[in-house]
Amino acid sequence: MATIELTNVHAEVADGGEEILHGVDLEVSSGEIHALMGPNGSGKSTTSKVIAGHPAYEVTEGEILLHLEADDFDGVDEIPEDARTWNLLELEPNERAALGVFLAFQYPAEIEGVTMTNFLRTALNAKIEERDELLFGEDEDEADEESGYETSPMEGPADEGEVGVAEFQQLLSEKMELLDMDEKFAQRYLNAGFSGGEKKQNEVLQAAILEPTIAVLDEIDSGLDIDRLQDVADGINALRDEQGTGVLQITHYQRILDYVEPDTVHIMLDGEIVMEGDAELAAELEDKGYDWVREQVYNAA
């Protein structure tokens, strides 16, 4: 079981900007779904980006730790004991991703000319290679080789990488079937011409392929109609139920939680988590609004 642990995290806009997070404490483990709710400007998206290592934000105090157990990664017999706790603040974004931290974007980018299939296989192979280097150290033979390409990086064996083309096609088909997605999506350019709902469903597909230990979903429910909301919700539940992924679902509204029932609801105001509870807390929040939370918190103080 993997656990991500935020302790007293303070963060500001990089280069000495305004402090946005004022001491966030949060813990999410494999197989759990947590909802992080709050009004606009409360610090929810900043929390997600700080976890992922976005360069626009700087953590000025606190720590973010990732705890792993010996068998947390498929394809890895046993994670070495000295590689089971990581300070994410010391790692680059790609290294955090390699260790199983996934961020689904609120506004996914469109990339013309790159098919979803090629993008996803490249991402999966890059993750596996980076993960093995982090856990076991760089292979000495590879370290001695001169880095870089002799010619264009577009040249070379089409089947290069830990996961070959045929194996990946089988994996992709399985994941798309799990998420009830049309396989025609796989041949389209990444998010190009996709509807808002299709983009969000594609973010869930990426998580299914990469099999993260912890997935942070930043307002993945925004802009979805009811049918696509149910599709995305089914995908999130599959990440937890079929893969054991821990999910931090960031949202403004309770509606997605009708389909993705959280184990814990965290409410954020003014850069801090001020209230926690079970799924009933989200329903109460929907009924009473954030002013009710402010009254509860600040009157008690």
Side-chain angles (χ1 to χ4, degrees):
M1 180 176 71
T3 298
I4 192 166
E5 179 184 11
L6 284 71
T7 304
N8 191 36
V9 173
H10 293 247
E12 62 184 30
V13 177
D15 301 322
E18 176 188 2
E19 183 172 271
I20 299 174
L21 302 183
H22 308 300
V24 174
D25 296 302
L26 179 65
E27 187 174 305
V28 180
S29 295
S30 300
E32 299 176 351
I33 292 180
H34 291 241
L36 180 60
M37 305 182 70
N40 284 328
S42 59
K44 304 185 305 300
S45 291
T46 298
T47 300
S48 71
K49 292 173 182 176
V50 162
I51 290 172
H54 197 295
Y57 301 93
E58 180 181 356
V59 174
T60 57
E61 187 177 343
E63 61 182 6
I64 305 176
L65 300 179
L66 178 66
H67 305 285
L68 302 171
E69 293 186 352
D71 59 352
D72 272 334
F73 294 134
D74 288 341
V76 176
D77 292 334
E78 184 174 0
I79 298 174
E81 288 190 16
D82 62 354
R84 296 183 192 173
T85 295
W86 296 83
N87 181 354
L88 295 188
L89 300 180
E90 296 177 351
L91 301 178
E92 296 297 324
N94 58 295
E95 294 173 321
R96 302 182 196 200
L99 292 173
V101 177
F102 176 86
L103 173 61
F105 292 102
Q106 186 175 353
Y107 303 107
E110 297 186 12
I111 304 178
E112 290 278 3
V114 177
T115 65
M116 283 177 54
T117 297
N118 287 338
F119 171 79
L120 290 171
R121 190 174 79 89
T122 299
L124 179 59
N125 279 326
K127 173 191 172 178
I128 293 172
E129 182 179 0
E130 183 92 58
R131 181 194 67 195
D132 289 349
E133 289 182 6
L134 287 167
L135 296 181
F136 304 107
E138 190 174 32
D139 183 86
E140 292 183 3
D141 293 334
E142 292 182 2
D144 290 339
E145 295 178 1
E146 183 177 352
S147 62
Y149 293 93
E150 292 182 3
T151 55
S152 166
M154 298 300 292
E155 298 178 10
D159 212 33
E160 188 178 41
E162 179 75 17
V163 181
V165 172
E167 181 183 356
F168 181 77
Q169 290 290 354
Q170 178 63 32
L171 174 66
L172 181 59
S173 294
E174 291 172 359
K175 298 298 186 182
M176 296 189 83
E177 182 178 358
L178 176 67
L179 302 178
D180 195 26
M181 291 182 68
D182 188 337
E183 290 195 24
K184 292 179 181 178
F185 274 82
Q187 301 309 316
R188 295 172 66 179
Y189 293 146
L190 183 65
N191 291 324
F194 281 28
S195 68
E198 289 171 340
K199 288 180 180 179
K200 299 301 180 68
Q201 198 170 15
N202 186 30
E203 292 290 285
V204 178
L205 174 62
Q206 291 179 42
I209 292 290
L210 296 174
E211 296 190 347
T213 52
I214 304 294
V216 182
L217 311 180
D218 187 12
E219 297 191 29
I220 202 166
D221 56 328
S222 64
L224 300 183
D225 62 33
I226 188 64
D227 292 329
R228 193 63 71 176
L229 178 67
Q230 290 178 318
D231 291 337
V232 169
D234 288 344
I236 295 170
N237 286 324
L239 291 179
R240 188 264 313 273
D241 298 336
E242 303 295 333
Q243 298 181 181
T245 299
V247 176
L248 178 61
Q249 170 69 57
I250 296 172
T251 182
H252 284 294
Y253 307 110
Q254 190 266 341
R255 63 176 191 155
I256 193 171
L257 305 183
D258 288 337
Y259 308 101
V260 181
E261 183 174 350
D263 298 287
T264 306
V265 174
H266 312 266
I267 299 178
M268 176 172 272
L269 291 177
D270 304 322
E272 298 179 79
I273 293 175
V274 297
M275 188 179 291
E276 296 177 327
D278 58 18
E280 292 183 2
L281 176 59
E284 190 170 13
L285 180 65
E286 183 77 4
D287 182 53
K288 298 180 179 179
Y290 288 110
D291 285 340
W292 166 76
V293 177
R294 290 187 177 91
E295 291 174 4
Q296 295 289 310
V297 172
Y298 297 129
N299 288 345

